[in-house]
Amino acid sequence: MSEELKALKKQLLKDDRNGYDVLSAADLEKMEAYCTVYKAFLDAGKTERLSARAAIALAEKHGFVEYKRGMSLSAGDKVYSCNRGKGLVLAVVGRRSLAEGAQITAAHIDSPRLDFKPHPLYEDSELAYGKTHYYGGIRKYQWVAIPLELRGVVVLRDGTVVKVVLGQGNEPKFVITDLLPHLGAEQGKKPLSEAIPGENLNILMGSRPLGEDGDSDRVKLRVLDLLHEKYGICEDDFTSAELEVVPAFNATDLGLDRSLIGAYGHDDRVCAYAALKALLDLDKTPEKTAVCMLADKEEIGSMGVTGMQSAFFDTFMEDLCDGQGVSLRVCYESSFCLSSDVTAAFDPNFAEVYEKRNESRVNYGLGICKYTGARGKSGASDASAETVAYVRRVLDEADVLWHISELGKVDAGGGGTVAMYMANRNIDTIDAGVPVLSMHSPFETVGKLDCYMNYLGCKAVYNA
């Protein structure tokens, strides 16, 4: 091939490259250091409450203080506000007025899981169970026959909050039993979505009776007795409890080359941590105010008082604007938001549902999604060409590896993020995040390189 033709190809053809062909040894060392701390964050934050708590602890170590309405703020000040223990917004005040907008990242810290029902405990055939209601888009068959733990809070009648942690470390775990193959002929004929009914997602909690032979609910009574001994709670207290069943395994490296991370909750804590860590690591006061929003309830539509559709974010931003004598709507119309949420990584084992030319790939960096949604882009904010060009420029100037993608074939399915709710506020918004294998499963997989690029991408947005 002539040098002239090589130059022409370089000029005209897009050159997405595997990140390991680009990064230096120093970059790879930084990547490993970043991912080590990220794995610790995942292990500490298996629920939205725990993630918010871990994020606040990190923020306070980096000089952030809780925002109080009416506080006088100056450029460089670092503040945060927690939304009912389940969501969080943080800001570093910029040099410029909020009339020129803010640089925002938005992610979510809730993940698919199983929630205890209001009346969870029952006994059947001298086995004690806890009934659950699944939260978010899970594939139910993936949650059986794996070790589980219980996390959350029980709020007593007097308002006392009791934090519950069961199954951590060397503590006994829980499980949802599955049917043995010897008796599973009829079950095996059912579609995957029907083989394990939602009402069968009942966690096994015990088998040892308490009391005399002939007494009723002896195994359930022992479970309640143990819970009362440890936490002082009674059966009636489950009425005002939020107890979440999550996988009982921690984040771990995958592959002989340790290039991947397997864990519960990558969606979307891999992006939430990147957005948070990038804000904490800003080494100078940004030109525009940098804001990190970590929301709850994304997996069920971002509804409710802690979801992205609530007024919490607007209230915080309006307070900041009021302190500068700026109208909130003026701030929003000049702001930019990176909706930092995961995307589907191309999986050659299931190539039939992907459109290979337009899919995210592991180790190719940050996955940019102009639109998400389903079928005819239903439920997508669909970023403008101008917004995409802006993001290209910001990422390229910061040497962030990225590629643009979609979420599967046009009619194969689809999904959404918080992007539409930011866009509805008149904020230019685009989706960008880490490609994930086995998304929404109890054990998702991501590439370390993509995790690191997500962090660098968020940092570039704050500094733009």
Side-chain angles (χ1 to χ4, degrees):
M1 184 182 298
S2 68
E3 292 302 318
E4 182 179 353
L5 187 55
K6 288 181 180 179
L8 188 63
K9 289 183 67 175
K10 185 175 181 180
Q11 177 186 358
L12 298 181
L13 297 181
K14 182 168 175 53
D15 183 27
D16 286 333
R17 299 176 65 190
N18 189 303
Y20 284 99
D21 294 326
V22 178
L23 265 60
S24 67
D27 291 330
L28 294 175
E29 187 174 338
K30 292 176 183 177
M31 176 193 79
E32 289 291 346
Y34 171 83
C35 289
T36 297
V37 184
Y38 165 58
K39 286 182 288 185
F41 178 82
L42 270 183
D43 294 343
K46 289 190 175 181
T47 71
E48 70 285 354
R49 287 180 183 268
L50 293 173
S51 290
R53 194 183 309 166
I56 289 171
L58 286 173
E60 289 180 341
K61 286 182 180 179
H62 284 77
F64 283 73
V65 298
E66 186 173 7
Y67 177 77
K68 303 294 184 183
R69 186 163 293 143
M71 283 177 67
S72 178
L73 298 176
S74 302
D77 285 348
K78 304 173 181 179
V79 293
Y80 74 85
S81 181
C82 186
N83 186 4
R84 297 165 172 83
K86 296 181 178 183
L88 185 67
V89 62
L90 310 95
V92 177
V93 180
R95 299 181 188 279
R96 300 184 192 175
S97 166
L98 281 164
E100 297 183 52
Q103 294 294 100
I104 305 164
T105 63
H108 65 92
I109 51 177
D110 62 317
S111 293
R113 61 178 190 259
L114 308 177
D115 288 340
F116 257 26
K117 289 189 174 186
H119 296 289
L121 294 184
Y122 73 99
E123 180 176 329
D124 192 338
S125 304
E126 297 184 290
L127 296 173
Y129 292 94
K131 292 199 70 66
T132 70
H133 192 136
Y134 63 90
Y135 172 98
I138 72 168
R139 307 193 80 181
K140 296 184 284 291
Y141 72 90
Q142 295 176 336
W143 287 77
V144 300
I146 63 171
L148 301 167
E149 57 190 58
L150 198 60
R151 302 291 188 97
V153 298
V154 177
V155 183
L156 306 183
R157 194 190 307 272
D158 64 2
T160 301
V161 178
V162 180
K163 297 175 182 177
V164 174
V165 179
L166 292 169
Q168 186 178 39
N170 292 324
E171 290 183 338
K173 309 296 187 283
F174 305 98
V175 72
I176 299 169
T177 56
D178 195 8
L179 187 60
L180 64 163
H182 311 69
L183 300 177
E186 290 303 314
Q187 182 195 47
K189 297 175 183 177
K190 297 179 181 179
L192 285 177
S193 60
E194 298 176 10
I196 305 292
E199 288 295 349
N200 283 20
L201 295 174
N202 305 312
I203 68 170
L204 183 59
M205 300 194 69
S207 66
R208 182 177 174 181
L210 176 65
E212 301 297 328
D213 185 20
D215 293 344
S216 62
D217 286 342
R218 294 192 299 157
V219 181
K220 173 184 173 182
L221 183 62
R222 180 174 289 279
V223 169
L224 282 168
D225 184 53
L226 292 169
L227 290 172
H228 185 265
E229 179 183 329
K230 185 167 185 176
Y231 294 112
I233 59 177
C234 302
E235 185 172 18
D236 189 49
D237 294 323
F238 286 109
T239 304
S240 51
E242 290 181 356
L243 296 174
E244 303 175 12
V245 180
V246 297
F249 30 73
N250 288 338
T252 183
D253 288 353
L254 292 179
L256 289 175
D257 55 8
R258 294 182 174 269
S259 62
L260 305 157
I261 301 173
Y264 165 69
H266 284 312
D267 180 11
D268 182 39
R269 295 178 190 126
V270 67
C271 296
Y273 181 72
L276 170 69
K277 187 75 165 75
L279 190 73
L280 303 185
D281 287 352
L282 289 179
D283 51 10
K284 62 180 181 179
T285 300
E287 288 299 311
K288 293 185 178 182
T289 295
V291 180
C292 172
M293 176 66 198
L294 306 179
D296 181 27
K297 296 290 186 288
E298 191 274 346
E299 297 295 356
I300 56 171
S302 297
M303 309 288 188
V305 72
T306 55
M308 196 65 243
Q309 295 196 65
S310 80
F312 170 71
F313 178 76
D314 304 300
T315 300
F316 177 82
M317 292 301 298
E318 188 169 14
D319 285 344
L320 295 189
C321 286
D322 285 348
Q324 296 185 9
V326 174
S327 167
L328 179 64
R329 66 178 182 271
V330 171
C331 172
Y332 277 177
E333 66 189 19
S334 299
S335 295
F336 169 76
C337 176
L338 190 76
S339 173
S340 193
D341 204 343
V342 298
T343 186
F346 176 76
D347 189 336
N349 282 326
F350 305 99
E352 65 275 7
V353 296
Y354 295 91
E355 201 272 274
K356 193 171 183 179
R357 294 177 182 83
N358 286 285
E359 300 299 342
S360 289
R361 298 177 65 182
V362 173
N363 292 335
Y364 278 68
L366 194 59
I368 306 292
C369 295
K370 184 179 185 297
Y371 45 81
T372 53
R375 297 173 298 279
K377 301 186 182 181
S378 176
S381 64
D382 202 353
S384 68
E386 290 85 352
T387 300
V388 179
Y390 169 76
V391 172
R392 288 175 62 193
R393 183 169 66 254
V394 168
L395 297 180
D396 286 346
E397 289 177 354
D399 293 325
V400 177
L401 299 179
W402 63 274
H403 58 302
I404 199 155
S405 63
E406 292 191 352
L407 186 63
K409 286 184 177 178
V410 172
D411 288 326
T417 68
V418 301
M420 70 180 88
Y421 308 117
M422 281 299 193
N424 288 347
R425 291 173 161 92
N426 197 27
I427 299 173
D428 282 329
T429 305
I430 192 169
D431 279 304
V434 173
V436 178
L437 295 165
S438 303
M439 190 193 297
H440 278 216
S441 77
F443 194 73
E444 301 169 316
T445 298
V446 298
K448 289 182 177 180
L449 187 147
D450 304 323
C451 295
Y452 185 57
M453 286 299 143
N454 192 16
Y455 159 74
L456 294 180
C458 290
K459 200 170 184 180
V461 167
Y462 292 141
N463 282 317

